[in-house]
């Protein structure tokens, strides 16, 4: 089940971030994120405060989380997007996280399906996502779901220096 997050979910989301950082430190995954920099408990709290943090539960356990809103990050202005759209027609998925212990079970795809339905329900036919170029797994999953790479922008992203931000998009309908 995917639902809006609550204050009670913050410890689970923070622990999810920690498991991702642990898996990166162990060399099991590559996200390009930095422990203590991004994502952190403060990342989850800011998203919760904004009212746009969602979680995917399996049973009673949070196995994935993401922020969904219409906020396009500043560097998006430098991307030559394929689908020209007014800001109110664009929905953005931020910080999609899936528990690395649950990888390969379709949770990322389920979250993308939810994101697409949510965007349509809110009148947004254009979807945008970004990921660190180092995150080959996310890039492949997004491409498999029909997202096209529209540009790669060098930036400092959420406090992480030297990020090559892969900007992807998809048009619905």
């Amino acid at each position: 089940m995917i639902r809006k997050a609550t204050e009670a979910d913050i410890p689970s989301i923070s622990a999810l971030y920690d498991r991702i950082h642990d898996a990166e430190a162990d060399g099991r995954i590559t996200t390009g994120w930095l422990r203590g920099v991004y994502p952190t408990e403060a990342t989850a709290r800011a998203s919760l405060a904004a009212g746009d943090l969602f979680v995917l539960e399996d049973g009673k356990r949070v196995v994935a989380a993401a922020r969904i809103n219409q906020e396009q990050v500043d560097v998006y202005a430098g991307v030559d997007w394929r689908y020209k759209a007014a800001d109110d027609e664009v929905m953005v998925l931020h910080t999609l996280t899936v528990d690395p212990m649950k990888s390969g079970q379709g949770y990322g795809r389920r979250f993308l399906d939810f994101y697409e339905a949510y965007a349509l329900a809110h009148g947004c036919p254009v979807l945008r996502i970004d990921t660190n170029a180092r995150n080959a797994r996310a890039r492949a999953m997004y491409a498999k779901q029909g997202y096209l790479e529209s540009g790669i922008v060098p930036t400092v992203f959420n406090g992480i220096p030297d990020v090559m931000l892969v900007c992807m998009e998809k048009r619905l309908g």
Side-chain angles (χ1 to χ4, degrees), residues 5-43:
T6 67
E7 176 67 31
D9 295 314
I10 295 295
S12 295
I13 296 167
S14 184
L16 173 61
Y17 295 164
D18 287 341
R19 285 191 296 280
I20 290 168
H21 291 305
D22 290 346
E24 178 122 18
D26 293 346
R28 290 180 281 137
I29 64 172
T30 301
T31 62
W33 291 342
L34 295 176
R35 185 186 307 273
V37 177
Y38 179 82
T40 65
E41 182 176 324
T43 306

Side-chain angles (χ1 to χ4, degrees), residues 13-14 16-18 20-22 24 31-47 53 65-69 73 76 92-97 129-132 134-135 142 156-161 163 165:
I13 296 167
S14 184
L16 173 61
Y17 295 164
D18 287 341
I20 290 168
H21 291 305
D22 290 346
E24 178 122 18
T31 62
W33 291 342
L34 295 176
R35 185 186 307 273
V37 177
Y38 179 82
T40 65
E41 182 176 324
T43 306
R45 288 197 177 281
S47 300
L53 182 62
R67 187 174 193 185
I68 301 172
N69 61 34
V73 295
Y76 281 16
V92 184
L93 180 71
H94 309 270
T95 321
L96 175 58
T97 54
I129 296 176
D130 60 67
T131 190
N132 191 314
R134 296 179 57 202
N135 193 340
Y142 297 149
V156 173
F157 193 73
N158 292 311
I160 302 170
V163 171
L165 192 67

Side-chain angles (χ1 to χ4, degrees), residues 2 54-56 64-66 96 107-115:
I2 299 176
F54 294 83
V55 294
L56 188 160
L96 175 58
Y107 295 119
R109 181 183 38 77
R110 284 178 47 197
F111 224 111
L112 288 174
D113 291 344
F114 173 83
Y115 165 52

